[in-house]
């Protein structure tokens, strides 16, 4: 069953991921899956690996990369439910799961903050899909209700922008050419809403979780084996630069490319661009 995401607590995020960002992520799906795979793998290792027969919820599953990989690990006896608010991204996820013949996979277009899960899941996971809730404590409480007793939640989220040069450097460089807005609220829904790990730990506690841990994960974000120019064109489609670059006049776009290229050039070595990133891996147990 598919649930339409209409007006609700995360309506603005639904519009953003359903209209503004979705076409880009669908188009770049293969490259983004490759770039983000190490973070999902670190998450799986943190929980001790996935086992056959497990039932998993994947929050903010996007184009389905983690759902499909995890489905292969839990096998036909397991179950992976991918939930996301983006219709176009879920359409791509369904297409990929169908091509792979994965009967243990299902998808819901819904808001995980309020969706009525059937309880009993072993694990709620998310790779960078969980930082966009209007009310994170309410969302964590709802996700806890999806779990069986002693079930677990585990997710990876970004540390602060300043600790992620792969996003900060292009943004600072692009601001030399165009205006890029900054949020006055560091906790507003968005990529860096969970940068304060202590705050996230406290919210998980408020939702009733126990055995809560936050572990730093550092990794060089790899933009692929290609020319520096091609890597930069890909990079400026991501993060805070993306919308500004897409809306800029051609001459300003060219200026952005030049500025970002010079900013990241020191990280281009041996035919690849790899820039440091920093994330948190959060884990907790349901009562």
């Amino acid at each position: 069953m598919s649930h339409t995401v209409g007006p609700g607590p995360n309506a603005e995020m639904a519009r953003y991921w359903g209209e503004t960002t979705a076409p880009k992520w669908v188009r770049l799906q293969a490259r983004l899956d490759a770039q983000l795979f190490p973070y999902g793998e670190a998450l799986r290792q943190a929980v001790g690996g996935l086992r056959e027969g497990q039932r998993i919820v994947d929050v903010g599953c996007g184009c389905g990369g983690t759902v499909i990989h995890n489905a292969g690990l839990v096998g036909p006896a397991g179950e992976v439910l991918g939930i996301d608010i983006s219709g176009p991204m879920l359409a791509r996820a369904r297409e990929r799961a169908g091509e792979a013949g994965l009967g243990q996979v299902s998808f819901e277009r819904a808001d995980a903050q309020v969706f009525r899960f059937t309880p009993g899941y072993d694990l709620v996971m998310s790779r960078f899909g969980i930082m966009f809730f209007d009310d994170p404590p309410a969302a964590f409480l709802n996700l806890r209700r999806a779990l069986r007793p002693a079930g677990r939640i585990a997710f990876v989220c970004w540390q602060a922008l300043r600790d992620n040069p792969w996003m900060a450097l292009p943004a600072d460089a692009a601001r030399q050419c165009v205006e890029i807005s900054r949020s006055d609220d560091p906790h507003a829904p968005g990529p860096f809403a969970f940068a304060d790990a202590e705050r996230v730990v406290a919210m998980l506690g408020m939702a009733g979780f126990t055995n809560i841990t936050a572990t730093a994960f550092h990794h060089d974000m790899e933009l692929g084996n290609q020319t520096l120019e091609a890597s930069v064109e890909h990079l400026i489609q991501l993060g805070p630069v993306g919308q500004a670059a897409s809306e800029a006049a051609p001459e300003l776009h060219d200026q952005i490319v030049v500025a970002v290229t010079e900013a990241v050039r020191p990280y281009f070595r041996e035919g690849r661009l790899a820039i440091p990133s920093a994330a948190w891996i959060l884990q907790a147990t349901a009562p």
Side-chain angles (χ1 to χ4, degrees), residues 260-284:
V260 173
T261 299
E262 292 311 306
V264 303
R265 188 182 297 278
Y267 297 94
F268 187 73
R269 304 183 184 94
E270 299 179 357
R272 69 187 185 100
L273 183 62
I275 310 177
S277 75
W280 294 112
I281 294 176
L282 277 293
Q283 298 186 69

Side-chain angles (χ1 to χ4, degrees), residues 62-249:
C63 294
T66 51
V67 168
I68 291 168
H69 187 85
N70 292 341
L73 298 175
V74 302
E79 176 187 347
V80 183
L81 168 64
I83 184 168
D84 203 289
I85 56 177
S86 174
M89 293 170 75
L90 278 182
R92 177 59 182 141
R94 290 191 179 98
E95 180 182 38
R96 296 173 69 192
E99 291 170 352
L102 296 172
Q104 68 269 46
V105 166
S106 61
F107 294 98
E108 284 283 357
R109 185 186 174 209
D111 180 351
Q113 180 173 316
V114 296
F115 180 68
R116 293 188 178 181
F117 292 95
T118 301
Y121 287 92
D122 300 298
L123 181 64
V124 169
M125 298 183 72
S126 181
R127 185 192 68 185
F128 301 124
I130 206 165
M131 305 91 70
F132 304 95
F133 296 118
D134 278 353
D135 188 344
F140 285 142
L141 178 59
N142 194 48
L143 292 172
R144 196 203 82 193
R145 291 171 177 152
L147 291 164
R148 62 169 174 77
R152 298 164 71 190
I153 185 171
F155 55 91
V156 59
C157 57
W158 295 117
Q159 295 188 28
L161 178 60
R162 65 178 178 274
D163 299 316
N164 279 281
W166 78 276
M167 282 188 275
L169 285 175
D172 290 342
R175 284 192 179 95
Q176 302 172 26
C177 313
V178 294
E179 182 176 348
I180 298 177
S181 62
R182 303 173 191 258
S183 174
D184 294 329
D185 180 5
H187 303 145
F192 306 104
F194 287 177
D196 183 347
E198 291 186 3
R199 173 175 172 268
V200 183
V201 167
M203 290 191 295
L204 286 165
M206 289 169 56
F209 285 99
T210 60
N211 303 320
I212 307 166
T213 62
T215 306
F217 177 67
H218 297 274
H219 177 75
D220 283 353
M221 173 70 78
E222 297 192 26
L223 278 300
N225 270 332
Q226 54 187 348
T227 65
L228 176 58
E229 291 74 20
S231 295
V232 168
E233 282 289 357
H234 174 70
L235 183 59
I236 64 174
Q237 296 183 68
L238 309 176
V241 179
Q243 186 170 353
S246 66
E247 296 173 351

Side-chain angles (χ1 to χ4, degrees), residues 56-68:
I56 298 173
V57 176
D58 187 322
V59 178
C61 67
C63 294
T66 51
V67 168
I68 291 168

